[in-house]
Amino acid sequence: MTFLTDPRGFSAAEFAAYCAGLDWREGWRPSFVTLHNTAEPNLAQWAHFGAGLKNGAQRVRNLNAYYRGKGWHSGPHLFVAPDFIWLACDLERDGVHASCFNRTSIGVEMVGDYATEAFDSGDGAKVRDNAVAAVAAIYRALRIAPTTLRFHKECLRDRHACPGAHVDKADFIARVQQAMRL
C-alpha cells in the first residue's frame, strides 16, 4: 500500500523542496504526469469542509479511504487544493488514477469540477496555480519535459472528460514551462 496514513500539505515552495529530494531508487520511475480533477469534491464542497492543514488532511484521509475501499493498492499521488498541495500517496511508487497510465505516470488530482467551475478565477485559479507549481516541481525532479503531460481524458478506455473543459492543455503546459524557468 502506498496510501499515506498522514497526508502532507505543502506550500508550492515546500513541495518543490520535497521533490528535489526524491530519487526513484525503488525501481519505479514515472515518465509523465496525468492531470485530473476531482469533480467531487468540487470547490464549494471542499470549502464547506473548511480550509487549513487539519481539515485538508482529514479530507485527503477520507479520499484515500474511499480508494482503499475500492480495493486499490494506491490512489492519486496528489490532491491540489486552493491552499495546499496534498501528498496522498508515495510519489516514488505507482499509483491508481487512470487505467492507461497508472504504471507510467504520477496522478495529480485538482480539487474542483472544471467542466462547470472556473479555472481562471477565484479558487479555481488558486488550484491552477498550485497545480502548475506542483507539476513543475515533479518535472524538474524527473528531468523530463512538461510536454509529456497527459490529461486523464486521453485514456480513452476510462471514458472521462477529466480534467474538464475549462482546463486548456496548451495553456497549462506553457504555465508549467514558465514555472520551470523561474
Side-chain angles (χ1 to χ4, degrees), residues 31-35 131-151 154 168-182:
S31 301
F32 57 93
V33 170
T34 302
L35 198 61
V132 164
V135 170
I138 292 166
Y139 275 115
R140 196 177 297 114
L142 288 168
R143 293 179 167 75
I144 55 178
T147 53
T148 61
L149 179 96
R150 305 241 177 106
F151 280 6
E154 293 176 68
D168 179 83
K169 186 175 178 181
D171 177 68
F172 193 88
I173 289 171
R175 288 174 185 273
V176 171
Q177 290 170 323
Q178 178 62 31
M180 290 178 71
R181 286 192 285 271
L182 299 178

PDB file of all heavy atoms in Angstrom, residues 31-35 131-151 154 168-182:
ATOM      1  N   SER A  31       7.138   8.435 -16.158  1.00  0.00           N
ATOM      2  CA  SER A  31       7.546   9.067 -17.409  1.00  0.00           C
ATOM      3  C   SER A  31       6.837  10.380 -17.669  1.00  0.00           C
ATOM      4  O   SER A  31       7.242  11.145 -18.535  1.00  0.00           O
ATOM      5  CB  SER A  31       7.252   8.127 -18.582  1.00  0.00           C
ATOM      6  OG  SER A  31       7.925   6.914 -18.416  1.00  0.00           O
ATOM      7  N   PHE A  32       5.749  10.640 -16.948  1.00  0.00           N
ATOM      8  CA  PHE A  32       4.976  11.866 -17.154  1.00  0.00           C
ATOM      9  C   PHE A  32       3.990  12.037 -16.007  1.00  0.00           C
ATOM     10  O   PHE A  32       3.895  11.185 -15.118  1.00  0.00           O
ATOM     11  CB  PHE A  32       4.258  11.861 -18.512  1.00  0.00           C
ATOM     12  CG  PHE A  32       3.340  10.694 -18.738  1.00  0.00           C
ATOM     13  CD1 PHE A  32       1.986  10.776 -18.419  1.00  0.00           C
ATOM     14  CD2 PHE A  32       3.815   9.504 -19.280  1.00  0.00           C
ATOM     15  CE1 PHE A  32       1.143   9.711 -18.634  1.00  0.00           C
ATOM     16  CE2 PHE A  32       2.976   8.427 -19.508  1.00  0.00           C
ATOM     17  CZ  PHE A  32       1.634   8.526 -19.181  1.00  0.00           C
ATOM     18  N   VAL A  33       3.256  13.120 -16.051  1.00  0.00           N
ATOM     19  CA  VAL A  33       2.196  13.417 -15.088  1.00  0.00           C
ATOM     20  C   VAL A  33       0.865  13.324 -15.807  1.00  0.00           C
ATOM     21  O   VAL A  33       0.740  13.764 -16.958  1.00  0.00           O
ATOM     22  CB  VAL A  33       2.379  14.835 -14.489  1.00  0.00           C
ATOM     23  CG1 VAL A  33       1.157  15.262 -13.685  1.00  0.00           C
ATOM     24  CG2 VAL A  33       3.641  14.911 -13.636  1.00  0.00           C
ATOM     25  N   THR A  34      -0.131  12.741 -15.130  1.00  0.00           N
ATOM     26  CA  THR A  34      -1.502  12.729 -15.629  1.00  0.00           C
ATOM     27  C   THR A  34      -2.313  13.687 -14.768  1.00  0.00           C
ATOM     28  O   THR A  34      -2.324  13.562 -13.544  1.00  0.00           O
ATOM     29  CB  THR A  34      -2.113  11.317 -15.578  1.00  0.00           C
ATOM     30  OG1 THR A  34      -1.306  10.434 -16.355  1.00  0.00           O
ATOM     31  CG2 THR A  34      -3.531  11.320 -16.126  1.00  0.00           C
ATOM     32  N   LEU A  35      -2.989  14.627 -15.416  1.00  0.00           N
ATOM     33  CA  LEU A  35      -3.755  15.651 -14.717  1.00  0.00           C
ATOM     34  C   LEU A  35      -5.237  15.279 -14.684  1.00  0.00           C
ATOM     35  O   LEU A  35      -5.811  14.869 -15.693  1.00  0.00           O
ATOM     36  CB  LEU A  35      -3.566  16.998 -15.423  1.00  0.00           C
ATOM     37  CG  LEU A  35      -3.916  18.247 -14.648  1.00  0.00           C
ATOM     38  CD1 LEU A  35      -3.071  18.391 -13.390  1.00  0.00           C
ATOM     39  CD2 LEU A  35      -3.726  19.479 -15.536  1.00  0.00           C
ATOM     40  N   ALA A 131      -1.363  23.742  -8.854  1.00  0.00           N
ATOM     41  CA  ALA A 131      -1.126  22.576  -9.708  1.00  0.00           C
ATOM     42  C   ALA A 131       0.050  22.816 -10.648  1.00  0.00           C
ATOM     43  O   ALA A 131       0.886  21.937 -10.848  1.00  0.00           O
ATOM     44  CB  ALA A 131      -2.385  22.226 -10.496  1.00  0.00           C
ATOM     45  N   VAL A 132       0.121  24.004 -11.206  1.00  0.00           N
ATOM     46  CA  VAL A 132       1.256  24.352 -12.073  1.00  0.00           C
ATOM     47  C   VAL A 132       2.561  24.225 -11.281  1.00  0.00           C
ATOM     48  O   VAL A 132       3.535  23.625 -11.751  1.00  0.00           O
ATOM     49  CB  VAL A 132       1.091  25.771 -12.666  1.00  0.00           C
ATOM     50  CG1 VAL A 132       2.402  26.296 -13.236  1.00  0.00           C
ATOM     51  CG2 VAL A 132       0.000  25.770 -13.726  1.00  0.00           C
ATOM     52  N   ALA A 133       2.591  24.765 -10.071  1.00  0.00           N
ATOM     53  CA  ALA A 133       3.798  24.691  -9.244  1.00  0.00           C
ATOM     54  C   ALA A 133       4.158  23.243  -8.918  1.00  0.00           C
ATOM     55  O   ALA A 133       5.325  22.849  -8.987  1.00  0.00           O
ATOM     56  CB  ALA A 133       3.602  25.500  -7.964  1.00  0.00           C
ATOM     57  N   ALA A 134       3.138  22.444  -8.576  1.00  0.00           N
ATOM     58  CA  ALA A 134       3.390  21.040  -8.233  1.00  0.00           C
ATOM     59  C   ALA A 134       3.914  20.255  -9.429  1.00  0.00           C
ATOM     60  O   ALA A 134       4.896  19.515  -9.324  1.00  0.00           O
ATOM     61  CB  ALA A 134       2.105  20.398  -7.699  1.00  0.00           C
ATOM     62  N   VAL A 135       3.270  20.424 -10.567  1.00  0.00           N
ATOM     63  CA  VAL A 135       3.676  19.689 -11.765  1.00  0.00           C
ATOM     64  C   VAL A 135       5.069  20.140 -12.208  1.00  0.00           C
ATOM     65  O   VAL A 135       5.903  19.312 -12.596  1.00  0.00           O
ATOM     66  CB  VAL A 135       2.617  19.844 -12.879  1.00  0.00           C
ATOM     67  CG1 VAL A 135       3.119  19.295 -14.205  1.00  0.00           C
ATOM     68  CG2 VAL A 135       1.313  19.145 -12.459  1.00  0.00           C
ATOM     69  N   ALA A 136       5.360  21.425 -12.119  1.00  0.00           N
ATOM     70  CA  ALA A 136       6.704  21.917 -12.457  1.00  0.00           C
ATOM     71  C   ALA A 136       7.748  21.290 -11.543  1.00  0.00           C
ATOM     72  O   ALA A 136       8.826  20.885 -12.003  1.00  0.00           O
ATOM     73  CB  ALA A 136       6.747  23.439 -12.364  1.00  0.00           C
ATOM     74  N   ALA A 137       7.452  21.186 -10.265  1.00  0.00           N
ATOM     75  CA  ALA A 137       8.401  20.582  -9.317  1.00  0.00           C
ATOM     76  C   ALA A 137       8.652  19.115  -9.650  1.00  0.00           C
ATOM     77  O   ALA A 137       9.789  18.638  -9.583  1.00  0.00           O
ATOM     78  CB  ALA A 137       7.875  20.727  -7.891  1.00  0.00           C
ATOM     79  N   ILE A 138       7.596  18.404 -10.038  1.00  0.00           N
ATOM     80  CA  ILE A 138       7.743  16.987 -10.395  1.00  0.00           C
ATOM     81  C   ILE A 138       8.575  16.844 -11.664  1.00  0.00           C
ATOM     82  O   ILE A 138       9.513  16.036 -11.725  1.00  0.00           O
ATOM     83  CB  ILE A 138       6.356  16.332 -10.564  1.00  0.00           C
ATOM     84  CG1 ILE A 138       5.647  16.245  -9.211  1.00  0.00           C
ATOM     85  CG2 ILE A 138       6.481  14.959 -11.223  1.00  0.00           C
ATOM     86  CD1 ILE A 138       4.162  15.937  -9.312  1.00  0.00           C
ATOM     87  N   TYR A 139       8.258  17.633 -12.686  1.00  0.00           N
ATOM     88  CA  TYR A 139       9.016  17.543 -13.931  1.00  0.00           C
ATOM     89  C   TYR A 139      10.477  17.950 -13.728  1.00  0.00           C
ATOM     90  O   TYR A 139      11.378  17.347 -14.317  1.00  0.00           O
ATOM     91  CB  TYR A 139       8.361  18.368 -15.040  1.00  0.00           C
ATOM     92  CG  TYR A 139       7.267  17.607 -15.748  1.00  0.00           C
ATOM     93  CD1 TYR A 139       5.942  18.016 -15.685  1.00  0.00           C
ATOM     94  CD2 TYR A 139       7.567  16.481 -16.500  1.00  0.00           C
ATOM     95  CE1 TYR A 139       4.946  17.312 -16.336  1.00  0.00           C
ATOM     96  CE2 TYR A 139       6.578  15.769 -17.151  1.00  0.00           C
ATOM     97  CZ  TYR A 139       5.274  16.180 -17.064  1.00  0.00           C
ATOM     98  OH  TYR A 139       4.292  15.467 -17.707  1.00  0.00           O
ATOM     99  N   ARG A 140      10.700  18.930 -12.900  1.00  0.00           N
ATOM    100  CA  ARG A 140      12.078  19.336 -12.599  1.00  0.00           C
ATOM    101  C   ARG A 140      12.832  18.182 -11.925  1.00  0.00           C
ATOM    102  O   ARG A 140      13.957  17.876 -12.294  1.00  0.00           O
ATOM    103  CB  ARG A 140      12.065  20.583 -11.706  1.00  0.00           C
ATOM    104  CG  ARG A 140      13.379  21.315 -11.642  1.00  0.00           C
ATOM    105  CD  ARG A 140      13.315  22.604 -10.802  1.00  0.00           C
ATOM    106  NE  ARG A 140      12.395  23.581 -11.365  1.00  0.00           N
ATOM    107  CZ  ARG A 140      11.252  23.984 -10.790  1.00  0.00           C
ATOM    108  NH1 ARG A 140      10.867  23.500  -9.629  1.00  0.00           N
ATOM    109  NH2 ARG A 140      10.491  24.887 -11.373  1.00  0.00           N
ATOM    110  N   ALA A 141      12.195  17.537 -10.957  1.00  0.00           N
ATOM    111  CA  ALA A 141      12.832  16.431 -10.243  1.00  0.00           C
ATOM    112  C   ALA A 141      13.083  15.231 -11.161  1.00  0.00           C
ATOM    113  O   ALA A 141      14.106  14.556 -11.039  1.00  0.00           O
ATOM    114  CB  ALA A 141      11.978  16.016  -9.052  1.00  0.00           C
ATOM    115  N   LEU A 142      12.163  14.973 -12.076  1.00  0.00           N
ATOM    116  CA  LEU A 142      12.315  13.850 -13.003  1.00  0.00           C
ATOM    117  C   LEU A 142      13.238  14.163 -14.174  1.00  0.00           C
ATOM    118  O   LEU A 142      13.651  13.264 -14.895  1.00  0.00           O
ATOM    119  CB  LEU A 142      10.946  13.429 -13.550  1.00  0.00           C
ATOM    120  CG  LEU A 142      10.024  12.705 -12.583  1.00  0.00           C
ATOM    121  CD1 LEU A 142       8.615  12.610 -13.159  1.00  0.00           C
ATOM    122  CD2 LEU A 142      10.576  11.323 -12.268  1.00  0.00           C
ATOM    123  N   ARG A 143      13.493  15.455 -14.391  1.00  0.00           N
ATOM    124  CA  ARG A 143      14.312  15.916 -15.514  1.00  0.00           C
ATOM    125  C   ARG A 143      13.718  15.481 -16.857  1.00  0.00           C
ATOM    126  O   ARG A 143      14.412  14.967 -17.738  1.00  0.00           O
ATOM    127  CB  ARG A 143      15.751  15.441 -15.378  1.00  0.00           C
ATOM    128  CG  ARG A 143      16.502  16.055 -14.232  1.00  0.00           C
ATOM    129  CD  ARG A 143      17.920  15.494 -14.152  1.00  0.00           C
ATOM    130  NE  ARG A 143      18.810  16.215 -13.287  1.00  0.00           N
ATOM    131  CZ  ARG A 143      18.818  16.187 -11.951  1.00  0.00           C
ATOM    132  NH1 ARG A 143      17.916  15.477 -11.319  1.00  0.00           N
ATOM    133  NH2 ARG A 143      19.706  16.858 -11.256  1.00  0.00           N
ATOM    134  N   ILE A 144      12.409  15.683 -16.981  1.00  0.00           N
ATOM    135  CA  ILE A 144      11.730  15.403 -18.248  1.00  0.00           C
ATOM    136  C   ILE A 144      10.894  16.618 -18.649  1.00  0.00           C
ATOM    137  O   ILE A 144      10.587  17.466 -17.819  1.00  0.00           O
ATOM    138  CB  ILE A 144      10.863  14.123 -18.195  1.00  0.00           C
ATOM    139  CG1 ILE A 144       9.855  14.173 -17.037  1.00  0.00           C
ATOM    140  CG2 ILE A 144      11.732  12.885 -18.093  1.00  0.00           C
ATOM    141  CD1 ILE A 144       8.943  12.969 -16.964  1.00  0.00           C
ATOM    142  N   ALA A 145      10.556  16.678 -19.904  1.00  0.00           N
ATOM    143  CA  ALA A 145       9.845  17.837 -20.452  1.00  0.00           C
ATOM    144  C   ALA A 145       8.360  17.813 -20.092  1.00  0.00           C
ATOM    145  O   ALA A 145       7.710  16.764 -20.179  1.00  0.00           O
ATOM    146  CB  ALA A 145       9.995  17.862 -21.968  1.00  0.00           C
ATOM    147  N   PRO A 146       7.809  18.962 -19.725  1.00  0.00           N
ATOM    148  CA  PRO A 146       6.386  19.029 -19.400  1.00  0.00           C
ATOM    149  C   PRO A 146       5.471  18.802 -20.606  1.00  0.00           C
ATOM    150  O   PRO A 146       4.266  18.611 -20.421  1.00  0.00           O
ATOM    151  CB  PRO A 146       6.215  20.425 -18.813  1.00  0.00           C
ATOM    152  CG  PRO A 146       7.380  21.209 -19.272  1.00  0.00           C
ATOM    153  CD  PRO A 146       8.489  20.234 -19.505  1.00  0.00           C
ATOM    154  N   THR A 147       6.029  18.777 -21.796  1.00  0.00           N
ATOM    155  CA  THR A 147       5.211  18.485 -22.977  1.00  0.00           C
ATOM    156  C   THR A 147       4.705  17.043 -22.964  1.00  0.00           C
ATOM    157  O   THR A 147       3.832  16.693 -23.762  1.00  0.00           O
ATOM    158  CB  THR A 147       6.006  18.750 -24.268  1.00  0.00           C
ATOM    159  OG1 THR A 147       7.238  18.037 -24.191  1.00  0.00           O
ATOM    160  CG2 THR A 147       6.264  20.241 -24.443  1.00  0.00           C
ATOM    161  N   THR A 148       5.227  16.218 -22.049  1.00  0.00           N
ATOM    162  CA  THR A 148       4.750  14.841 -21.923  1.00  0.00           C
ATOM    163  C   THR A 148       3.466  14.743 -21.101  1.00  0.00           C
ATOM    164  O   THR A 148       2.869  13.664 -21.027  1.00  0.00           O
ATOM    165  CB  THR A 148       5.824  13.946 -21.269  1.00  0.00           C
ATOM    166  OG1 THR A 148       6.094  14.446 -19.950  1.00  0.00           O
ATOM    167  CG2 THR A 148       7.108  13.912 -22.090  1.00  0.00           C
ATOM    168  N   LEU A 149       3.031  15.837 -20.494  1.00  0.00           N
ATOM    169  CA  LEU A 149       1.833  15.855 -19.657  1.00  0.00           C
ATOM    170  C   LEU A 149       0.641  15.265 -20.407  1.00  0.00           C
ATOM    171  O   LEU A 149       0.462  15.513 -21.604  1.00  0.00           O
ATOM    172  CB  LEU A 149       1.495  17.297 -19.255  1.00  0.00           C
ATOM    173  CG  LEU A 149       0.235  17.441 -18.399  1.00  0.00           C
ATOM    174  CD1 LEU A 149       0.619  17.484 -16.938  1.00  0.00           C
ATOM    175  CD2 LEU A 149      -0.521  18.690 -18.784  1.00  0.00           C
ATOM    176  N   ARG A 150      -0.157  14.493 -19.691  1.00  0.00           N
ATOM    177  CA  ARG A 150      -1.376  13.926 -20.264  1.00  0.00           C
ATOM    178  C   ARG A 150      -2.567  14.319 -19.396  1.00  0.00           C
ATOM    179  O   ARG A 150      -2.435  14.478 -18.184  1.00  0.00           O
ATOM    180  CB  ARG A 150      -1.298  12.404 -20.329  1.00  0.00           C
ATOM    181  CG  ARG A 150      -0.085  11.900 -21.069  1.00  0.00           C
ATOM    182  CD  ARG A 150      -0.454  11.081 -22.278  1.00  0.00           C
ATOM    183  NE  ARG A 150       0.734  10.683 -23.007  1.00  0.00           N
ATOM    184  CZ  ARG A 150       1.247   9.463 -23.009  1.00  0.00           C
ATOM    185  NH1 ARG A 150       0.666   8.502 -22.328  1.00  0.00           N
ATOM    186  NH2 ARG A 150       2.325   9.193 -23.712  1.00  0.00           N
ATOM    187  N   PHE A 151      -3.692  14.447 -20.029  1.00  0.00           N
ATOM    188  CA  PHE A 151      -4.959  14.618 -19.324  1.00  0.00           C
ATOM    189  C   PHE A 151      -5.585  13.228 -19.177  1.00  0.00           C
ATOM    190  O   PHE A 151      -5.418  12.372 -20.060  1.00  0.00           O
ATOM    191  CB  PHE A 151      -5.908  15.512 -20.113  1.00  0.00           C
ATOM    192  CG  PHE A 151      -5.656  16.987 -19.980  1.00  0.00           C
ATOM    193  CD1 PHE A 151      -4.561  17.503 -19.304  1.00  0.00           C
ATOM    194  CD2 PHE A 151      -6.552  17.878 -20.546  1.00  0.00           C
ATOM    195  CE1 PHE A 151      -4.367  18.868 -19.181  1.00  0.00           C
ATOM    196  CE2 PHE A 151      -6.367  19.244 -20.436  1.00  0.00           C
ATOM    197  CZ  PHE A 151      -5.273  19.746 -19.751  1.00  0.00           C
ATOM    198  N   GLU A 154      -7.316  11.511 -22.047  1.00  0.00           N
ATOM    199  CA  GLU A 154      -6.533  10.886 -23.116  1.00  0.00           C
ATOM    200  C   GLU A 154      -6.458   9.370 -22.959  1.00  0.00           C
ATOM    201  O   GLU A 154      -6.047   8.679 -23.888  1.00  0.00           O
ATOM    202  CB  GLU A 154      -5.136  11.503 -23.172  1.00  0.00           C
ATOM    203  CG  GLU A 154      -5.172  12.962 -23.617  1.00  0.00           C
ATOM    204  CD  GLU A 154      -3.816  13.612 -23.594  1.00  0.00           C
ATOM    205  OE1 GLU A 154      -2.949  13.221 -24.411  1.00  0.00           O
ATOM    206  OE2 GLU A 154      -3.615  14.504 -22.740  1.00  0.00           O
ATOM    207  N   ASP A 168      -7.283  24.072 -20.268  1.00  0.00           N
ATOM    208  CA  ASP A 168      -6.671  24.035 -21.596  1.00  0.00           C
ATOM    209  C   ASP A 168      -5.260  23.453 -21.461  1.00  0.00           C
ATOM    210  O   ASP A 168      -4.423  23.998 -20.742  1.00  0.00           O
ATOM    211  CB  ASP A 168      -6.628  25.454 -22.172  1.00  0.00           C
ATOM    212  CG  ASP A 168      -5.974  25.488 -23.527  1.00  0.00           C
ATOM    213  OD1 ASP A 168      -6.668  25.200 -24.521  1.00  0.00           O
ATOM    214  OD2 ASP A 168      -4.757  25.792 -23.591  1.00  0.00           O
ATOM    215  N   LYS A 169      -5.014  22.372 -22.172  1.00  0.00           N
ATOM    216  CA  LYS A 169      -3.730  21.668 -22.044  1.00  0.00           C
ATOM    217  C   LYS A 169      -2.551  22.523 -22.474  1.00  0.00           C
ATOM    218  O   LYS A 169      -1.538  22.588 -21.772  1.00  0.00           O
ATOM    219  CB  LYS A 169      -3.766  20.356 -22.842  1.00  0.00           C
ATOM    220  CG  LYS A 169      -2.529  19.507 -22.645  1.00  0.00           C
ATOM    221  CD  LYS A 169      -2.674  18.171 -23.364  1.00  0.00           C
ATOM    222  CE  LYS A 169      -1.418  17.341 -23.205  1.00  0.00           C
ATOM    223  NZ  LYS A 169      -1.545  16.055 -23.912  1.00  0.00           N
ATOM    224  N   ALA A 170      -2.654  23.187 -23.612  1.00  0.00           N
ATOM    225  CA  ALA A 170      -1.532  24.010 -24.096  1.00  0.00           C
ATOM    226  C   ALA A 170      -1.218  25.132 -23.112  1.00  0.00           C
ATOM    227  O   ALA A 170      -0.047  25.416 -22.832  1.00  0.00           O
ATOM    228  CB  ALA A 170      -1.843  24.578 -25.475  1.00  0.00           C
ATOM    229  N   ASP A 171      -2.241  25.772 -22.575  1.00  0.00           N
ATOM    230  CA  ASP A 171      -2.035  26.832 -21.593  1.00  0.00           C
ATOM    231  C   ASP A 171      -1.398  26.283 -20.326  1.00  0.00           C
ATOM    232  O   ASP A 171      -0.462  26.886 -19.778  1.00  0.00           O
ATOM    233  CB  ASP A 171      -3.366  27.505 -21.251  1.00  0.00           C
ATOM    234  CG  ASP A 171      -3.212  28.573 -20.188  1.00  0.00           C
ATOM    235  OD1 ASP A 171      -2.578  29.623 -20.484  1.00  0.00           O
ATOM    236  OD2 ASP A 171      -3.689  28.364 -19.053  1.00  0.00           O
ATOM    237  N   PHE A 172      -1.872  25.125 -19.854  1.00  0.00           N
ATOM    238  CA  PHE A 172      -1.322  24.540 -18.631  1.00  0.00           C
ATOM    239  C   PHE A 172       0.160  24.198 -18.826  1.00  0.00           C
ATOM    240  O   PHE A 172       0.993  24.512 -17.981  1.00  0.00           O
ATOM    241  CB  PHE A 172      -2.120  23.302 -18.212  1.00  0.00           C
ATOM    242  CG  PHE A 172      -1.800  22.842 -16.827  1.00  0.00           C
ATOM    243  CD1 PHE A 172      -2.478  23.367 -15.742  1.00  0.00           C
ATOM    244  CD2 PHE A 172      -0.804  21.903 -16.603  1.00  0.00           C
ATOM    245  CE1 PHE A 172      -2.170  22.957 -14.443  1.00  0.00           C
ATOM    246  CE2 PHE A 172      -0.482  21.489 -15.329  1.00  0.00           C
ATOM    247  CZ  PHE A 172      -1.165  22.018 -14.241  1.00  0.00           C
ATOM    248  N   ILE A 173       0.488  23.567 -19.944  1.00  0.00           N
ATOM    249  CA  ILE A 173       1.880  23.207 -20.217  1.00  0.00           C
ATOM    250  C   ILE A 173       2.745  24.467 -20.304  1.00  0.00           C
ATOM    251  O   ILE A 173       3.858  24.506 -19.762  1.00  0.00           O
ATOM    252  CB  ILE A 173       1.998  22.351 -21.497  1.00  0.00           C
ATOM    253  CG1 ILE A 173       1.417  20.960 -21.238  1.00  0.00           C
ATOM    254  CG2 ILE A 173       3.453  22.253 -21.970  1.00  0.00           C
ATOM    255  CD1 ILE A 173       1.277  20.095 -22.477  1.00  0.00           C
ATOM    256  N   ALA A 174       2.255  25.509 -20.960  1.00  0.00           N
ATOM    257  CA  ALA A 174       3.017  26.761 -21.063  1.00  0.00           C
ATOM    258  C   ALA A 174       3.275  27.346 -19.672  1.00  0.00           C
ATOM    259  O   ALA A 174       4.370  27.851 -19.396  1.00  0.00           O
ATOM    260  CB  ALA A 174       2.262  27.772 -21.931  1.00  0.00           C
ATOM    261  N   ARG A 175       2.295  27.265 -18.784  1.00  0.00           N
ATOM    262  CA  ARG A 175       2.476  27.760 -17.412  1.00  0.00           C
ATOM    263  C   ARG A 175       3.516  26.928 -16.666  1.00  0.00           C
ATOM    264  O   ARG A 175       4.321  27.458 -15.906  1.00  0.00           O
ATOM    265  CB  ARG A 175       1.143  27.751 -16.666  1.00  0.00           C
ATOM    266  CG  ARG A 175       0.177  28.826 -17.142  1.00  0.00           C
ATOM    267  CD  ARG A 175      -1.198  28.672 -16.460  1.00  0.00           C
ATOM    268  NE  ARG A 175      -2.158  29.604 -16.981  1.00  0.00           N
ATOM    269  CZ  ARG A 175      -2.338  30.840 -16.533  1.00  0.00           C
ATOM    270  NH1 ARG A 175      -1.609  31.285 -15.524  1.00  0.00           N
ATOM    271  NH2 ARG A 175      -3.244  31.629 -17.076  1.00  0.00           N
ATOM    272  N   VAL A 176       3.487  25.616 -16.871  1.00  0.00           N
ATOM    273  CA  VAL A 176       4.482  24.744 -16.234  1.00  0.00           C
ATOM    274  C   VAL A 176       5.883  25.070 -16.765  1.00  0.00           C
ATOM    275  O   VAL A 176       6.842  25.184 -15.996  1.00  0.00           O
ATOM    276  CB  VAL A 176       4.133  23.253 -16.435  1.00  0.00           C
ATOM    277  CG1 VAL A 176       5.274  22.354 -15.972  1.00  0.00           C
ATOM    278  CG2 VAL A 176       2.839  22.893 -15.706  1.00  0.00           C
ATOM    279  N   GLN A 177       5.999  25.234 -18.062  1.00  0.00           N
ATOM    280  CA  GLN A 177       7.302  25.588 -18.647  1.00  0.00           C
ATOM    281  C   GLN A 177       7.820  26.899 -18.072  1.00  0.00           C
ATOM    282  O   GLN A 177       9.001  27.015 -17.730  1.00  0.00           O
ATOM    283  CB  GLN A 177       7.196  25.681 -20.168  1.00  0.00           C
ATOM    284  CG  GLN A 177       7.002  24.331 -20.831  1.00  0.00           C
ATOM    285  CD  GLN A 177       6.663  24.430 -22.301  1.00  0.00           C
ATOM    286  OE1 GLN A 177       5.939  25.315 -22.741  1.00  0.00           O
ATOM    287  NE2 GLN A 177       7.173  23.474 -23.079  1.00  0.00           N
ATOM    288  N   GLN A 178       6.936  27.890 -17.939  1.00  0.00           N
ATOM    289  CA  GLN A 178       7.322  29.163 -17.348  1.00  0.00           C
ATOM    290  C   GLN A 178       7.769  28.993 -15.899  1.00  0.00           C
ATOM    291  O   GLN A 178       8.793  29.558 -15.488  1.00  0.00           O
ATOM    292  CB  GLN A 178       6.167  30.182 -17.431  1.00  0.00           C
ATOM    293  CG  GLN A 178       6.462  31.521 -16.796  1.00  0.00           C
ATOM    294  CD  GLN A 178       7.628  32.252 -17.466  1.00  0.00           C
ATOM    295  OE1 GLN A 178       7.866  32.112 -18.660  1.00  0.00           O
ATOM    296  NE2 GLN A 178       8.355  33.019 -16.675  1.00  0.00           N
ATOM    297  N   ALA A 179       7.035  28.203 -15.139  1.00  0.00           N
ATOM    298  CA  ALA A 179       7.388  27.960 -13.738  1.00  0.00           C
ATOM    299  C   ALA A 179       8.738  27.248 -13.619  1.00  0.00           C
ATOM    300  O   ALA A 179       9.505  27.510 -12.676  1.00  0.00           O
ATOM    301  CB  ALA A 179       6.300  27.146 -13.054  1.00  0.00           C
ATOM    302  N   MET A 180       9.041  26.380 -14.563  1.00  0.00           N
ATOM    303  CA  MET A 180      10.318  25.661 -14.523  1.00  0.00           C
ATOM    304  C   MET A 180      11.488  26.586 -14.834  1.00  0.00           C
ATOM    305  O   MET A 180      12.604  26.331 -14.405  1.00  0.00           O
ATOM    306  CB  MET A 180      10.292  24.472 -15.484  1.00  0.00           C
ATOM    307  CG  MET A 180       9.383  23.369 -15.007  1.00  0.00           C
ATOM    308  SD  MET A 180       9.284  21.975 -16.160  1.00  0.00           S
ATOM    309  CE  MET A 180      10.917  21.249 -15.946  1.00  0.00           C
ATOM    310  N   ARG A 181      11.234  27.673 -15.578  1.00  0.00           N
ATOM    311  CA  ARG A 181      12.309  28.631 -15.894  1.00  0.00           C
ATOM    312  C   ARG A 181      12.634  29.545 -14.732  1.00  0.00           C
ATOM    313  O   ARG A 181      13.682  30.167 -14.706  1.00  0.00           O
ATOM    314  CB  ARG A 181      11.923  29.451 -17.118  1.00  0.00           C
ATOM    315  CG  ARG A 181      12.008  28.691 -18.425  1.00  0.00           C
ATOM    316  CD  ARG A 181      11.913  29.595 -19.633  1.00  0.00           C
ATOM    317  NE  ARG A 181      10.557  30.064 -19.880  1.00  0.00           N
ATOM    318  CZ  ARG A 181       9.652  29.447 -20.622  1.00  0.00           C
ATOM    319  NH1 ARG A 181       9.938  28.287 -21.166  1.00  0.00           N
ATOM    320  NH2 ARG A 181       8.465  29.970 -20.816  1.00  0.00           N
ATOM    321  N   LEU A 182      11.709  29.670 -13.798  1.00  0.00           N
ATOM    322  CA  LEU A 182      11.920  30.596 -12.659  1.00  0.00           C
ATOM    323  C   LEU A 182      12.933  30.058 -11.686  1.00  0.00           C
ATOM    324  O   LEU A 182      13.176  28.928 -11.517  1.00  0.00           O
ATOM    325  CB  LEU A 182      10.591  30.865 -11.960  1.00  0.00           C
ATOM    326  CG  LEU A 182       9.519  31.514 -12.834  1.00  0.00           C
ATOM    327  CD1 LEU A 182       8.244  31.668 -12.033  1.00  0.00           C
ATOM    328  CD2 LEU A 182       9.974  32.854 -13.339  1.00  0.00           C
TER     329      LEU A 182
END
